Amino acid sequence: MAELAALDDPKARAVNEKHGDDHGVNLGKLRAIAKRLKTQQDLALQLWATGDTAARLLALLVCRPKAFGRDQLDAMLREARRPKVHDWLVNYVVKKSPHAEELRVLWFGDPDPVVASAGWALTVDRVAKQPGGLDLDGLLDVIEKDMKDAPDRLQWAQNHCLAQIGIEHPALRARAVEIGERLEVLKDYPTPPGCTSPFAPVWITEMVRRKG
């Protein structure tokens, strides 16, 4: 904790706070510490228990994803209110867990939009890698009905799902593009030069073009 405190940079903290994160540790330096520590599940649990954002990010880098129980991951997700902690927990830990599908179903319709966004993020992964058994038309129905007025993080995850369906499933591509064009979610999102816009019709078209 002392080492993390020493790395806290006020300028980095100010930038991160604009995105809802409350830490000032450079993520490259955080990864360097994790590389030195290697996997240490007990230490990861102690770091997580501090509640400190930088410590929790480090915990997610040194933990053993398959060592967590389903209820343990559910509790951690509900505690993870900072966007970067939430994102790393879902992508670095839950996706590698044997409980990922069970948690996807549990979180998908949760009344808490931040929790629900994790269910949608896991659904995006299924759409891309294991679409069998998913009701893709049903997902588009929900997106069409709810995405326009969804809170930010849930809206972002639903938009990603819309784009992923359009990219991966040609039979549904036209419908996905039409939904995106009509709802106009993230249409005016500021996109740096060289990056692809998160506006679903543009995103779908660009990724399909790259796939050739």
Side-chain angles (χ1 to χ4, degrees):
M1 294 304 294
E3 188 172 353
L4 291 175
L7 289 173
D8 196 274
D9 176 357
K11 289 182 181 177
R13 180 177 284 273
V15 171
N16 289 332
E17 283 176 349
K18 291 179 182 176
H19 303 288
D21 286 307
D22 61 345
H23 74 93
V25 180
N26 176 280
L27 296 180
K29 292 179 180 177
L30 199 69
R31 291 181 189 279
I33 295 172
K35 190 173 181 181
R36 187 188 80 221
L37 292 171
K38 301 187 170 62
T39 302
Q40 295 192 47
Q41 180 68 6
D42 288 345
L43 175 61
L45 294 174
Q46 292 175 56
L47 287 167
W48 184 270
T50 66
D52 177 80
T53 295
R56 285 188 162 184
L57 291 172
L58 182 58
L60 296 170
L61 294 174
V62 302
C63 73
R64 187 174 290 107
K66 293 179 180 176
F68 292 104
R70 192 206 79 151
D71 292 347
Q72 199 172 12
L73 289 172
D74 181 52
M76 289 168 70
L77 191 279
R78 293 175 192 280
E79 287 177 17
R81 307 312 290 184
R82 299 297 176 183
K84 185 64 72 178
V85 175
H86 180 274
D87 182 51
W88 282 19
L89 175 59
V90 172
N91 286 294
Y92 297 172
V93 181
V94 179
K95 284 183 180 179
K96 298 175 183 177
S97 164
H99 308 293
E101 177 59 15
E102 198 177 347
L103 289 168
R104 182 188 76 81
V105 174
L106 177 69
W107 293 337
F108 185 82
D110 197 275
D112 181 336
V114 176
V115 175
S117 73
W120 278 89
L122 294 172
T123 300
V124 171
D125 213 43
R126 278 281 312 269
V127 168
K129 298 174 183 174
Q130 292 180 301
L134 285 180
D135 177 5
L136 298 177
D137 274 305
L139 288 173
L140 290 177
D141 290 343
V142 176
I143 291 166
E144 192 168 21
K145 180 169 70 73
D146 296 342
M147 182 172 75
K148 182 81 171 175
D149 300 314
D152 287 353
R153 278 155 76 181
L154 178 55
Q155 184 184 71
W156 190 272
Q158 289 180 338
N159 183 70
H160 192 175
C161 191
L162 174 65
Q164 202 71 51
I165 290 171
I167 293 162
E168 302 288 346
H169 301 280
L172 295 171
R173 188 168 295 150
R175 185 185 175 198
V177 169
E178 189 278 325
I179 290 170
E181 287 175 343
R182 181 158 35 85
L183 298 184
E184 298 188 332
V185 168
L186 300 175
K187 185 175 183 178
D188 300 319
Y189 191 84
T191 306
C195 295
T196 303
S197 168
F199 179 47
V202 174
W203 191 354
I204 292 166
T205 302
E206 174 59 19
M207 296 310 292
V208 170
R209 183 191 69 76
R210 287 187 199 178
K211 286 185 171 194

